[in-house]
Amino acid sequence: MKIGVVGVGMVGSSAAYALALGGVGSELVLVDHNPKLAEAHAEDILHATPFARAVRVRAGDYGALEGSAVVVIAAGVGQKPGETRLELLGRNARVFEQVIPAVLEAAPEAVLLIATNPVDVMTQVATRISGRPESRVIGSGTILDTARFRALLGEWLEVSPQSVHAYVLGEHGDSEVLVWSGAEVGGVALEEFARQSGKSLDEEVRRRIDDGVRRAAYRIIEGKGSTYHGIGAGLARLVRAILTDERSAFTLSTLTPEVEGVREVALSLPRILGASGVLRTLEPQLSPSECQALGHSAQVLKQAAVELGF
């Protein structure tokens, strides 16, 4: 099956590389406003396929996306020094006003997977511009934050993160909500697992893990300029779930009718992902403080979308 990636900067090219090495799909088409950049990445990634899986990789224009089952949208502009978040949103919204119609003209049946930041508001923008059902315009949301949370819990508890079930909800950003109350390890409640393992989960440990999740992007950006490997792998994982109709749960951002009293807002909740996009949204059982924090996160995102005119 064909997969498109539009915008092959650090995030888009990392996603394309992860898709190719993972053998996700049979054909990968890279599109960028700089055709030479797309061609260079396509050639470079193609040269990696003999060491991994047989995937056809090529660059093209929007017309080359015809027949794509999924199109990853990583197109956008970076934040300028002194530029406000709203100004950045406005510039990226204008980019999407050009990109989204061009993608849908070529691949009207494709599921759109949004990776451009700020991803929650950009998912709402893409949904409004496209006019498509909310279930088929999906933001990568907090999949990376959730992975970070599970990785840090697993490291502290000395257990594989694959055995940790814990979620980060709300905004992919500063107001995100780490759901401690519902976390489990191997089907055992987190606090009970920690007790059995002789590990503390006191306020200092929780604060350290929270900071490790919430501030990770800032530290990575300070060290190397941007984050891309983690989200690239996450996007490849989501595409695989769509192509195989996997019906697994991920913390994804879609335009949601109502969250904690806030109407029509895009943010992350646990959602079941399959061939046609989001099949179902789950309603996690949260503590009162987590409900309050999720409501605050929803309000932050709603305000940004309103100010942008979406």
Side-chain angles (χ1 to χ4, degrees):
M1 300 182 75
K2 184 189 289 187
I3 304 159
V5 179
V6 177
V8 290
M10 298 307 296
V11 170
S13 61
S14 294
Y17 184 61
L19 286 162
L21 260 64
V24 182
S26 58
E27 182 179 0
L28 186 58
V29 176
L30 310 187
V31 178
D32 196 90
H33 76 285
N34 180 353
K36 288 188 176 180
L37 179 65
E39 290 164 5
H41 276 306
E43 185 174 2
D44 196 14
I45 292 169
L46 178 65
H47 297 165
T49 58
F51 305 111
R53 306 288 180 86
V55 178
R56 297 190 302 278
V57 186
R58 63 187 177 98
D61 57 15
Y62 284 103
L65 298 172
E66 182 180 2
S68 295
V70 184
V71 177
V72 177
I73 309 290
V77 294
Q79 193 164 6
K80 296 178 179 179
E83 185 177 35
T84 68
R85 181 169 178 264
L86 191 59
E87 288 169 340
L88 173 63
L89 277 168
R91 291 201 296 136
N92 273 335
R94 289 191 290 275
V95 170
F96 270 33
E97 286 171 353
Q98 303 298 316
V99 168
I100 300 298
V103 169
L104 292 179
E105 182 177 1
E109 300 304 316
V111 173
L112 301 184
L113 183 53
I114 310 300
T116 303
N117 275 322
V119 69
D120 302 291
V121 180
M122 294 312 298
T123 299
Q124 184 157 343
V125 169
T127 304
R128 296 302 194 203
I129 291 172
S130 70
R132 307 199 72 202
E134 293 86 348
S135 61
R136 296 183 65 81
V137 184
I138 303 163
S140 57
T142 58
I143 58 164
L144 184 54
D145 311 276
T146 289
R148 289 167 175 160
F149 190 22
R150 293 177 179 183
L152 291 177
L153 281 172
E155 185 176 47
W156 175 247
L157 297 171
E158 298 180 325
V159 65
S160 167
Q162 280 79 10
S163 295
V164 178
H165 295 277
Y167 294 111
V168 177
L169 307 180
E171 179 191 13
H172 172 53
D174 292 344
S175 71
E176 64 191 24
V177 182
L178 279 67
V179 181
W180 291 91
S181 65
E184 296 182 346
V185 182
V188 178
L190 179 63
E191 290 193 5
E192 175 59 20
F193 184 92
R195 187 193 67 78
Q196 293 180 23
S197 303
K199 291 285 188 177
S200 171
L201 278 178
D202 60 19
E203 286 304 313
E204 172 57 26
V205 171
R206 291 174 185 248
R207 185 205 61 76
R208 189 168 65 247
I209 291 175
D210 184 286
D211 181 76
V213 175
R214 198 179 302 273
R215 305 292 299 177
Y218 294 102
R219 287 188 294 273
I220 294 168
I221 289 169
E222 182 180 2
K224 66 172 189 171
S226 60
T227 68
Y228 40 87
H229 290 314
I231 190 57
L235 290 165
R237 179 70 183 88
L238 296 179
V239 173
R240 182 186 295 278
I242 294 168
L243 295 188
T244 61
D245 196 22
E246 189 174 305
R247 304 184 179 224
S248 288
F250 300 94
T251 49
L252 302 171
S253 186
T254 65
L255 186 57
T256 306
E258 187 271 333
V259 179
E260 296 297 326
V262 180
R263 298 186 60 79
E264 296 294 317
V265 62
L267 48 58
S268 283
L269 292 170
R271 306 183 197 268
I272 306 302
L273 185 64
S276 60
V278 169
L279 306 177
R280 188 163 69 253
T281 295
L282 308 180
E283 297 181 8
Q285 299 299 303
L286 306 177
S287 70
S289 62
E290 290 165 351
C291 286
Q292 184 178 17
L294 184 59
H296 169 70
S297 190
Q299 190 58 56
V300 166
L301 291 167
K302 178 68 174 182
Q303 183 63 31
V306 168
E307 290 179 7
L308 190 60
F310 285 88

